[in-house]
Amino acid sequence: MPIPDHVIDEIRDRADIVEVIGEVVELKKRGRNFVGLCPFHAEKTPSFTVTPEKQMYYCFGCQAGGNVFTFLMQHERLEFPDAARVLGERTGVEVPEPETAAGPDPHAPLHMANRLAAEFYHRQLLESPDAAAARDYLAKRKIDRETWETFLLGWAPDSWDALLDEAGRQKLDVETLAEAGLVARSERTGGWYDRFRGRVCFPIRSVGGKVIALSGRRVDDEEPKYLNSSDTPVFTKGSTLFNLDLARGPIRRAGAAVIVEGNFDVVAVFQAGFRNVVAPLGTALTEPQTRILRRSTRTAYLAYDGDSAGERAAFRAGDLLLAAGFAVRIVQMGKGMDPDQLVRDGGPAAFERALEESGDVMERKIALVAERVDLSDVMKKRRAVRRLLESVARVPDPVTRALYVDRVAEGLHVPREALEIPEPRARRRRPGTRPEGGTRPPRAPIARTERGRSPLGIVPPEVQDERYVLLHALAEERWLEEAREQVAPAFFQVEAYADAFRRLAEGEVTRAAERLLASDDATVLRVLAELEVWREEQGFPLSDEVFRDSVRRLQLKAVERGLLPELRPTGEPLADAVERSRLRREIHRGRHRPAGSPE
């Protein structure tokens, strides 16, 4: 049977391409990317580039490229299902075996143990007299029974061996419970005991809905207040978001994710009708979590606690999300308030109002600096400006960076010309390369070459516009919509580019680029990797001017090649020449819309 899409997505989210390729290739960091000697052909000068942000690789020498799946397929000579299983085992994601396969899933016992614990604790919450305090606690927090069932909330009895006894009745061995992080061994006695005791329990599920871990909260003042399962072969805390299995669809429909700090915040906000809510698991938001979220949206609302610790955590998360290309908004809770309390006190309307009144993360930072820093003190003002620009430097898009610099200058009354537009953090310009910011495509750099090979990054002029159009169409849906109206696949002379554009232009524009990135077609993935790495090496910005100039040149070439439907020969050379001249004028004026691609 085919491997489900959600399993492939989960593997892709968890796998670190730098780590996987780094076991085969000695990689060195260069800016935001990594470079090394290509494993697919002999070379002395590194031309193999790995892009962590896009989780792709490309070789300028032999044109090998793709994602983490295609790397294993090429390097280990595996078929896609086998490559997925290798990565699944590595990342702790269960990959269904073909119906004809006889071998058992190595992680099935861990999934069984976690499911057993979740269901046992859920029954305790529903039925056990000992869970009365937990039921009262949930009632006080206005969490209703339907929500208990949705999240499979449970109660871990305040006992050292309640789960151990249940596992014994179910014939599940203690070693499996230990590997799943559900029980631990006493250093004093050497005996086993339940890790979760006297806690309301939240099962943590994979994107596919399997219980992979537990999170528990005390209902009294005993510490630690929160406890999560330790990392296991099926669970990595820093790469998992609580409730993503239920929130992924709503996030895509809403076009945004609401990120809160705690499990109870998620449950309360979800119950109030905001289903696109997730949370990190007891730690600060991590870079792998932002990568996972990027698969569903590029907009994030940070609804963190309304105290100083929550504010600091929100701004740290905001910097990470900015670096990942998100539009980030800060939802203000009010002093001492959190999302759970806000929903309890004011209902769904209060939370909806807070979302509507949210502000851009950089605007919020600028406002706080203006409010809290003595801007009459030159050194304090200088430090504040520098800190703000450090956040701006994380933004990958040059236009957004420039706009944020304008806002820093305006908000803190600093001359705009005194502030340099920072480059993305960890991507400093190398001597001899062109800085970002212009709207014209840069010329290909002069690079050292090996005998018999073109310089790295140099692109024949007839191909360059095809790349520009594809890159823009992949980057933003508005450019893809425009490209679909003005360009036909036949306009591309490179067959692989024509095929990639054809696939990109098929069906709905919404999330078209993401659908293409999720393809298992090795040729398409190679093209995407080539384009992304080439853009990184060139460092040129995407813009309306670059896009439309490239579209216009493709249309003019299509006229010369006789590809437009309007140019089907009439048998009258003079009439055909007049029509070509007319079309060229329309194209130069930006008025031409092709009637469609040729047969």
Side-chain angles (χ1 to χ4, degrees):
M1 62 180 177
I3 300 172
D5 289 344
H6 70 78
V7 174
I8 300 300
D9 287 347
E10 190 168 358
I11 294 172
R12 189 185 291 112
D13 290 340
R14 288 197 184 194
D16 183 342
I17 195 169
V18 174
E19 182 181 302
V20 172
I21 295 179
E23 294 177 357
V24 177
V25 180
E26 184 178 346
L27 296 173
K28 294 183 179 178
K29 198 163 185 5
R30 183 202 289 169
R32 291 194 297 181
N33 297 335
F34 291 80
V35 298
L37 296 174
C38 180
F40 302 116
H41 80 285
E43 63 177 4
K44 295 179 181 177
T45 303
S47 61
F48 183 84
T49 301
V50 182
T51 305
E53 183 180 337
K54 295 287 186 176
Q55 290 288 293
M56 304 195 92
Y57 68 93
Y58 182 72
C59 175
F60 287 101
C62 69
Q63 287 76 56
N67 59 16
V68 69
F69 295 101
T70 51
F71 180 82
L72 274 187
M73 290 166 67
Q74 289 179 316
H75 191 265
E76 304 295 335
R77 294 178 173 81
L78 299 174
E79 295 297 322
F80 179 79
D82 294 326
R85 288 185 175 86
V86 169
L87 288 169
E89 184 172 350
R90 178 190 184 101
T91 57
V93 178
E94 181 184 356
V95 178
E97 293 292 327
E99 292 178 1
T100 55
D105 171 18
H107 298 311
L110 294 180
H111 290 302
M112 185 187 303
N114 281 306
R115 185 71 191 182
L116 180 148
E119 291 179 346
F120 171 67
Y121 292 148
H122 184 60
R123 290 196 303 274
Q124 296 299 304
L125 177 64
L126 296 178
E127 302 168 2
S128 174
D130 294 337
R135 291 190 288 268
D136 291 344
Y137 180 79
L138 292 173
K140 187 188 303 181
R141 300 191 74 140
K142 298 185 179 178
I143 306 300
D144 61 36
R145 291 282 183 127
E146 183 179 345
T147 303
W148 297 8
E149 297 290 346
T150 299
F151 287 91
L152 203 67
L153 298 184
W155 167 251
D158 202 358
S159 162
W160 293 96
D161 54 9
L163 180 61
L164 282 166
D165 289 345
E166 175 66 14
R169 288 190 291 270
Q170 300 294 333
K171 310 299 183 188
L172 186 66
D173 60 86
V174 68
E175 288 77 12
T176 300
L177 292 177
E179 189 179 5
L182 299 168
V183 302
R185 190 187 290 274
S186 169
E187 294 181 1
R188 184 173 61 84
T189 66
W192 295 100
Y193 62 90
D194 294 355
R195 287 190 70 230
F196 293 89
R197 305 181 306 280
R199 296 178 183 274
V200 171
C201 287
F202 302 80
I204 301 166
R205 295 183 289 242
S206 68
V207 175
K210 288 184 178 292
V211 180
I212 55 175
L214 292 178
S215 179
R217 190 198 192 283
R218 294 288 303 190
V219 297
D220 53 25
D221 296 329
E222 188 174 323
E223 294 292 336
K225 184 183 292 185
Y226 299 98
L227 179 68
N228 291 315
S229 294
S230 52
D231 285 1
T232 71
V234 298
F235 169 66
T236 305
K237 183 164 60 175
S239 298
T240 307
L241 287 163
F242 179 61
N243 194 48
L244 186 59
D245 60 312
L246 299 180
R248 188 166 62 158
I251 286 171
R252 289 176 172 172
R253 289 191 292 274
V258 177
I259 306 175
V260 296
E261 287 189 271
N263 296 350
F264 268 115
D265 292 327
V266 168
V267 171
V269 170
F270 187 96
Q271 181 178 278
F274 303 90
R275 303 301 168 88
N276 55 328
V277 59
V278 295
L281 290 162
T283 59
L285 192 72
T286 66
E287 186 177 336
Q289 288 167 340
T290 66
R291 286 204 308 267
I292 290 168
L293 209 52
R294 264 173 62 103
R295 302 193 65 80
S296 301
T297 186
R298 298 294 177 87
T299 302
Y301 288 73
L302 292 169
Y304 280 28
D305 293 356
D307 54 19
S308 57
E311 182 180 272
R312 289 192 300 271
F315 286 147
R316 283 195 300 269
D319 281 350
L320 270 182
L321 290 161
L322 285 174
F326 279 77
V328 186
R329 302 188 67 79
I330 297 292
V331 183
Q332 293 183 253
M333 289 291 105
K335 191 170 183 180
M337 188 72 71
D338 60 27
D340 173 30
Q341 188 70 51
L342 180 64
V343 169
R344 272 188 279 159
D345 291 353
F351 194 75
E352 184 170 10
R353 188 163 51 251
L355 291 175
E356 290 172 350
E357 294 173 355
S358 64
D360 178 87
V361 63
M362 286 305 304
E363 296 281 3
R364 178 62 181 154
K365 284 187 176 186
I366 293 166
L368 286 179
V369 167
E371 177 186 319
R372 298 176 184 177
V373 176
D374 180 6
L375 298 181
S376 65
D377 186 311
V378 172
M379 296 310 295
K380 289 180 180 178
K381 184 172 183 176
R382 181 174 178 273
R383 282 194 297 270
V385 170
R386 187 177 67 247
R387 285 196 298 270
L388 288 170
L389 292 181
E390 285 174 356
S391 292
V392 174
R394 295 174 177 269
V395 178
D397 176 60
V399 175
T400 306
R401 288 201 305 275
L403 292 173
Y404 276 147
V405 173
D406 289 345
R407 288 296 300 117
V408 171
E410 180 184 341
L412 300 189
H413 307 291
V414 178
R416 176 61 179 80
E417 58 272 17
L419 302 179
E420 292 185 4
I421 298 178
E423 295 185 29
R425 195 166 178 170
R427 185 186 176 184
R428 301 304 179 195
R429 181 162 59 92
R430 298 189 298 280
T433 62
R434 169 180 173 148
E436 295 187 18
T439 57
R440 294 286 181 184
R443 296 182 181 274
I446 298 174
R448 292 192 299 272
T449 66
E450 295 181 34
R451 185 173 298 173
R453 200 174 74 194
S454 298
L456 303 187
I458 288 195
V459 180
E462 63 272 16
V463 173
Q464 186 163 276
D465 288 317
E466 298 181 15
R467 285 187 169 182
Y468 289 155
V469 171
L470 272 175
L471 278 167
H472 283 79
L474 284 162
E476 290 193 21
E477 290 173 1
R478 64 186 180 91
W479 283 325
L480 172 57
E481 186 71 60
E482 198 169 331
R484 283 171 47 155
E485 294 176 357
Q486 301 189 48
V487 176
F491 291 9
F492 293 82
Q493 297 185 61
V494 178
E495 185 178 345
Y497 293 174
D499 184 51
F501 183 77
R502 184 180 298 106
R503 291 171 180 243
L504 194 61
E506 288 173 348
E508 295 292 328
V509 168
T510 305
R511 307 187 63 78
E514 184 171 322
R515 290 197 299 272
L516 195 63
L517 284 166
S519 167
D520 59 1
D521 186 300
T523 302
V524 170
L525 291 173
R526 181 192 64 75
V527 168
L528 297 180
E530 171 194 340
L531 291 171
E532 184 59 36
V533 173
W534 179 75
R535 181 194 169 197
E536 288 279 341
E537 291 292 316
Q538 298 290 293
F540 81 92
L542 301 176
S543 71
D544 288 333
E545 184 179 356
V546 172
F547 171 66
R548 286 168 187 152
D549 283 350
S550 297
V551 167
R552 185 165 59 251
R553 285 190 289 268
L554 280 189
Q555 290 178 339
L556 289 170
K557 290 172 190 171
V559 170
E560 299 307 316
R561 295 164 61 201
L563 294 176
L564 297 183
E566 301 95 314
L567 286 176
R568 291 193 175 95
T570 64
E572 296 290 336
L574 179 59
D576 291 345
V578 169
E579 181 63 11
R580 281 196 297 273
S581 177
R582 183 189 67 79
L583 287 173
R584 289 192 198 99
R585 288 196 303 274
E586 281 192 1
I587 289 168
H588 279 297
R589 293 169 184 165
R591 296 176 181 172
H592 182 68
R593 294 291 187 275
S597 59
E599 295 295 324

